[in-house]
Amino acid sequence: MMQETTDKKWFDELILELRLRQVRGDAIGDTVASARELLSDSGQGAEEAFGPARNYAAALELPTAPRNEWVKKALWPLLLSLLAFLLFSQAVASWVSSEAMLVSPAQVAFLATPVVAMALLPLYINAAIRRIWVLIALVAICAMSGLLSAVATPATQADAWLALNPLPWLVGSATVMVLLSIAITIRSWGNDGEYITDPRSNTTPRSGTGTKILTLIITNWIFPLLALAMLGLALALR
Amino acid sequence: MTVSHPEPPASEGADWPSDWLRATLGFFALHALSAGPSYGYAIISELERNGFGTVKGGTLYPLLTRYEAAGLVTTEWRAGDGGPGRKYFALTDRGRAEKNRLSADWLRFTALSNRYLSDGQHTKEVTT
């Protein structure tokens, strides 16, 4: 039982390390299946047979996608969606209360913090995934900047740097979020290279079609869904 | 298909210097495949049975993966008999040629080494 737990942790780490190296899902599935085959034959533990998962992932030298590919494929759409969501969240309260959207410089700076943190992700993504406290600190900084941006919202039009009509911003940001989600969903639906397939059965071992659809909806439509929830909340509290 | 495990390996020769094994493991692994397709544990067991010590999966699989990328071996998953499948490695023509070349080089090298060690002749710096 203890060995199973240790091996599970080792395999989770191996998959993570191969993912960080941008190895295709079918190659990860092949690596995992062949490692399991040897452990089953030899009765050894994973660490004993293969050494540390990180070293083993490096030693395999499996073909990887170009290092900047995920930035183009995933980071930029995510960044634009986040920016659109932040604009939407600022515009929705003003629109619901039929007031102008008031903006102060401090508020813009606080709202820009998560966008900048996300844009710099390629510099620290490995550290954030390997060390949970980096990830927690990142989430805490983004949450704190969101709270502070609410505090920095101007109370009156006289205090505001900008006073904008919220409707175009609301519609524009919502349109951007939906269009990006549609584009990401179309691309990820046809891209089975991301899914880990078991070469012994040619199936994804951890998820069926239902789970795949749910994962696609949650990961690709998170910002439109959050925006919808925010709109509902704002209308309910009006 | 029935898959039988190889004989339990002998422990003889398990203490060879790791540098020696690192230098020879490549063509030993190719040699282990020269009789026909085989899988990870069978290759490890054959090497151990022949006195080369226990080769770890963490050493063998990266080597075979590199050989696959270089076109020296091919891989195929074969269904197991009531159990999970196995990944079989097989030599390609290029792999067989490489194995023959390395084996011939190694035999020449060991013949030279043996002659040098058994002659007892040492090259001395001649001072005039």
Side-chain angles (χ1 to χ4, degrees):
Chain A
M1 186 67 188
M2 179 82 171
Q3 187 62 55
E4 274 177 32
T5 311
T6 314
D7 281 357
K8 187 187 177 308
K9 199 176 159 202
W10 188 90
F11 276 106
D12 287 345
E13 204 184 326
L14 177 68
I15 291 169
L16 176 69
E17 289 295 334
L18 292 170
R19 281 283 193 211
L20 286 174
R21 290 170 184 277
Q22 306 287 305
V23 174
R24 277 181 59 90
D26 52 356
I28 296 177
D30 190 281
T31 301
V32 168
S34 54
R36 287 197 191 284
E37 175 205 322
L38 183 68
L39 297 188
S40 159
D41 284 342
S42 66
Q44 292 172 298
E47 181 97 20
E48 180 192 359
F50 296 99
R54 192 171 170 182
N55 294 356
Y56 184 54
L60 284 169
E61 296 177 14
L62 291 169
T64 57
R67 197 157 179 79
N68 293 325
E69 196 170 282
W70 75 272
V71 175
K72 278 187 283 179
K73 275 189 172 176
L75 186 63
W76 282 113
L78 190 68
L79 206 59
L80 282 176
S81 295
L82 176 66
L83 197 60
F85 175 73
L86 290 172
L87 284 173
F88 184 92
S89 64
Q90 291 299 304
V92 70
S94 307
W95 179 71
V96 165
S97 55
S98 305
E99 291 170 358
M101 186 168 82
L102 305 178
V103 183
S104 71
Q107 194 183 9
V108 171
F110 286 129
L111 285 174
T113 304
V115 178
V116 172
M118 195 70 80
L120 297 177
L121 201 60
L123 300 178
Y124 60 79
I125 187 166
N126 287 11
I129 290 173
R130 288 191 184 118
R131 294 176 192 84
I132 190 72
W133 64 266
V134 177
L135 207 58
I136 292 169
L138 186 69
V139 172
I141 288 169
C142 292
M144 186 61 75
S145 62
L147 280 174
L148 289 173
S149 79
V151 172
T153 304
T156 63
Q157 200 150 341
D159 301 332
W161 179 42
L162 292 170
L164 305 165
N165 178 4
L167 189 60
W169 293 93
L170 196 73
V171 174
S173 57
T175 308
V176 167
M177 278 187 280
V178 170
L179 287 178
L180 281 169
S181 292
I182 290 172
I184 297 167
T185 304
I186 290 170
R187 196 176 57 203
S188 56
W189 186 255
N191 186 9
D192 284 338
E194 288 175 18
Y195 290 91
I196 297 174
T197 49
D198 188 338
R200 295 168 295 186
S201 57
N202 277 327
T203 56
T204 51
R206 292 189 176 182
S207 58
T209 310
T211 316
K212 182 181 172 183
I213 291 169
L214 193 65
T215 309
L216 279 180
I217 289 172
I218 291 172
T219 54
N220 299 339
W221 289 83
I222 184 79
F223 288 114
L225 289 174
L226 283 174
L228 204 60
M230 190 168 272
L231 180 64
L233 194 67
L235 287 171
L237 295 174
R238 184 165 56 172
Chain B
M1 184 178 64
T2 305
V3 177
S4 59
H5 283 319
E7 291 292 309
S11 60
E12 181 201 347
D15 293 328
W16 298 115
S18 59
D19 284 354
W20 294 8
L21 288 172
R22 206 171 299 129
T24 52
L25 184 61
F27 62 91
F28 284 178
L30 292 177
H31 183 78
L33 295 173
S34 58
S38 188
Y39 55 93
Y41 185 65
I43 298 170
I44 288 171
S45 297
E46 181 173 324
L47 294 175
E48 196 167 3
R49 202 169 48 249
N50 282 282
F52 297 112
T54 308
V55 177
K56 286 186 182 292
T59 307
L60 181 69
Y61 280 102
L63 186 72
L64 292 171
T65 306
R66 279 201 294 279
Y67 283 170
E68 188 185 4
L72 303 183
V73 300
T74 55
T75 59
E76 182 193 9
W77 280 93
R78 295 184 188 173
D81 187 24
R86 288 181 187 286
K87 186 179 184 177
Y88 276 79
F89 299 88
L91 277 185
T92 61
D93 290 342
R94 198 168 153 197
R96 199 170 294 280
E98 181 68 0
K99 192 250 345 169
N100 291 339
R101 185 185 70 79
L102 289 169
S103 299
D105 284 354
W106 178 252
L107 289 174
R108 271 210 319 276
F109 178 78
T110 49
L112 270 177
S113 306
N114 291 339
R115 199 170 64 207
Y116 178 69
L117 291 172
S118 59
D119 276 357
Q121 293 175 353
H122 303 286
T123 307
K124 287 183 180 174
E125 193 177 340
V126 180
T127 54
T128 54

